[in-house]
Amino acid sequence: MAIEKLVVVGASLAGLRAVEAARKAGFDGSITLIGAEEHLPYDRPPLSKAFLEPGDETVDSPYFRSEELLRDELGVTLELGRPARGLDVESRSVLVGDDRIPYDALIIATGSTPRMIPGTEEMAGVHALRTLDDAIAVRGALSGGARTVVIGAGFIGSEVASGAQKRGVDVTIVEALPTPLVRATGEAMGHAIASLHERNGTALRCGTGVAAIEGDGRVERVVLADGSVIDADLVVVGIGVVPATSWLEGSGVELDNGVVCDETLWTGIPGVYAAGDVANWFNPVLGERQRMENWTAAAEQGAAAARNALDPANAKPYGTVPYFWSDWYDVRIQFVGSPDADEVVVVDGDPTGGDSGDRWVALYRRGDRLIGALTVNGQTVIMKYRVMIGKGASWTDALEFAEKKRAKAAL
């Protein structure tokens, strides 16, 4: 069938890249972009990084494109502040409020929503950090010197703690697991990365959960499972996210830790594709099913999903070597590949401390191939390892490359 109406649900990075890719591919039909937030698509990574650090508190909001460009140059009909509430695959329409918005091709790019601690939804001073409004509220509290507790020692929580520390704010991170970052980097390296907090003067409490968050309308304290109490004016909850798929329940779209897709990002429903945090797809490069919560995947998947949705007869598999980064204090942490490994070996530097603790490289082995690489201040090598993983480099080749880099640096 001829595709005349493209609908993108999710005014996210993935959603925006889908719109741009459609126009770049020559699509001249109608495009409707539906977003739950009233904001135009904006860049999320800076919200927990530069946006929170001390400096000009009037920093512009990180919008990708102006409304004029979206409407006039890209010809997009914007439906912002109007979350989708359902999908009718028989009539090919998205339910928004009392309206039905018809589509010939649909991109699901609704991203994810943060997990919160039950009972704190209406308590002032308790925030997730997922939206621009969240970031504005957290930044305002940090500017006022709020005693801060971050729940969850993942990358978002750690970035918040870093921003608070740079402002001279009293901050404590609470992590229920004995070792942070296990899912993202594997158990072997989680402790090494987390040690950056101690080196920079941030209190990190691992192996104890939160029993209660208390206060009379506004947060006043955090009670831990071990009975200890931390006074707080601001609590930032960073305990993970869940795919935003509730609006798809009962639609016929298969849901399992996101929207289940094949290697082309197709859901199996005619005309319906998914991209970004919400997409659970088979990655042919690594040979495993993944749902990636990072900027690079969202951008690439949004464009790929749009191209495939508009030309399904020639749909191409989307494969990638996952990549994400995180900025803590004055350190850049980067990871490529998969942490699901048989062995992890530090090939440069010493993450246990000393002068070399500010820069190190760890490689991940699965079978006889390189499957992942983690660097701290290793910007000069991380993308080389990404290329090697994409080409299926052997473990022996990876170790030889690392040795050559180390020897050259020693000259």
Side-chain angles (χ1 to χ4, degrees):
M1 63 172 288
I3 297 176
E4 298 178 354
K5 297 183 290 291
L6 172 65
V7 173
V8 179
V9 183
S12 56
L13 171 62
L16 175 65
R17 291 294 186 259
V19 168
E20 294 173 334
R23 291 304 189 211
K24 187 174 181 179
F27 178 67
D28 60 3
S30 68
I31 299 180
T32 301
L33 180 62
I34 300 168
E37 295 182 57
E38 295 182 352
H39 299 293
L40 295 164
Y42 57 87
D43 201 12
R44 293 185 188 274
L47 300 183
S48 57
K49 298 179 174 71
F51 200 78
L52 298 184
E53 294 184 359
D56 185 358
E57 300 299 310
T58 63
V59 172
D60 291 338
S61 299
Y63 294 118
F64 286 115
R65 302 287 183 264
S66 68
E67 182 174 350
E68 290 74 21
L69 188 149
L70 287 168
R71 291 188 186 277
D72 300 338
E73 294 188 30
L74 293 176
V76 179
T77 298
L78 296 172
E79 297 284 353
L80 302 179
R82 305 190 68 204
R85 64 176 182 84
L87 172 63
D88 186 337
V89 300
E90 296 299 326
S91 67
R92 291 200 175 204
S93 58
V94 178
L95 284 58
V96 179
D98 295 328
D99 299 326
R100 286 177 172 264
I101 299 177
Y103 68 85
D104 298 318
L106 172 68
I107 309 296
I108 298 170
T110 43
S112 52
T113 57
R115 291 188 175 95
M116 291 298 291
I117 295 176
T120 65
E121 293 84 358
E122 303 301 323
M123 182 177 288
V126 179
H127 300 276
L129 187 52
R130 182 68 182 170
T131 69
L132 178 57
D133 293 335
D134 293 334
I136 291 172
V138 170
R139 184 172 68 176
L142 293 177
S143 297
R147 297 168 299 177
T148 302
V149 173
V150 175
I151 301 175
F155 287 109
I156 296 297
S158 295
E159 289 170 359
V160 172
S162 172
Q165 185 67 246
K166 288 183 178 181
R167 291 174 177 270
V169 170
D170 182 22
V171 57
T172 300
I173 304 175
V174 178
E175 170 58 56
L177 296 175
T179 303
L181 299 165
V182 170
R183 187 171 71 90
T185 66
E187 186 170 358
M189 303 314 300
H191 179 73
I193 300 176
S195 68
L196 293 169
H197 291 304
E198 181 180 356
R199 295 181 200 175
N200 286 276
T202 297
L204 175 61
R205 302 278 299 273
C206 290
T208 183
V210 173
I213 298 177
E214 298 178 345
D216 185 9
R218 170 172 286 279
V219 63
E220 297 174 13
R221 69 193 71 86
V222 177
V223 182
L224 303 187
D226 63 7
S228 58
V229 177
I230 307 173
D231 293 332
D233 308 304
L234 170 67
V235 172
V236 180
V237 181
I239 55 176
V241 299
V242 293
T245 59
S246 61
W247 66 284
L248 293 167
E249 293 176 2
S251 67
V253 173
E254 184 179 357
L255 305 177
D256 183 7
N257 184 29
V259 175
V260 178
C261 309
D262 68 8
E263 66 273 13
T264 70
L265 301 169
W266 182 44
T267 66
I269 302 294
V272 181
Y273 290 71
D277 289 14
V278 77
N280 180 344
W281 107 112
F282 181 79
N283 183 351
V285 173
L286 297 184
E288 62 186 60
R289 182 164 287 280
Q290 295 186 310
R291 187 179 66 79
M292 299 196 301
E293 300 167 5
N294 62 65
W295 194 99
T296 307
E300 294 176 349
Q301 287 182 353
R307 290 191 295 265
N308 288 343
L310 294 173
D311 188 11
N314 296 297
K316 295 179 173 57
Y318 168 73
T320 190
V321 176
Y323 165 67
F324 67 82
W325 78 96
S326 187
D327 294 328
W328 303 9
Y329 312 102
D330 294 320
V331 166
R332 169 149 292 193
I333 301 163
Q334 294 170 287
F335 187 88
V336 292
S338 170
D340 183 13
D342 300 322
E343 180 184 16
V344 181
V345 175
V346 176
V347 295
D348 193 9
D350 179 7
T352 63
D355 293 338
S356 61
D358 293 332
R359 182 189 179 281
W360 46 273
V361 178
L363 301 184
Y364 292 61
R365 176 185 65 80
R366 183 190 299 169
D368 62 355
R369 69 169 289 191
L370 175 69
I371 199 67
L374 171 70
T375 68
V376 171
N377 286 335
Q379 292 91 319
T380 60
V381 297
I382 190 65
M383 288 307 170
K384 293 181 174 64
Y385 285 117
R386 190 183 190 205
V387 171
M388 293 179 71
I389 295 168
K391 292 181 177 179
S394 71
W395 181 243
T396 299
D397 288 344
L399 294 179
E400 288 178 353
F401 174 79
E403 177 58 33
K404 289 177 182 177
K405 295 294 294 185
R406 188 167 58 246
K408 184 177 180 180
L411 293 177

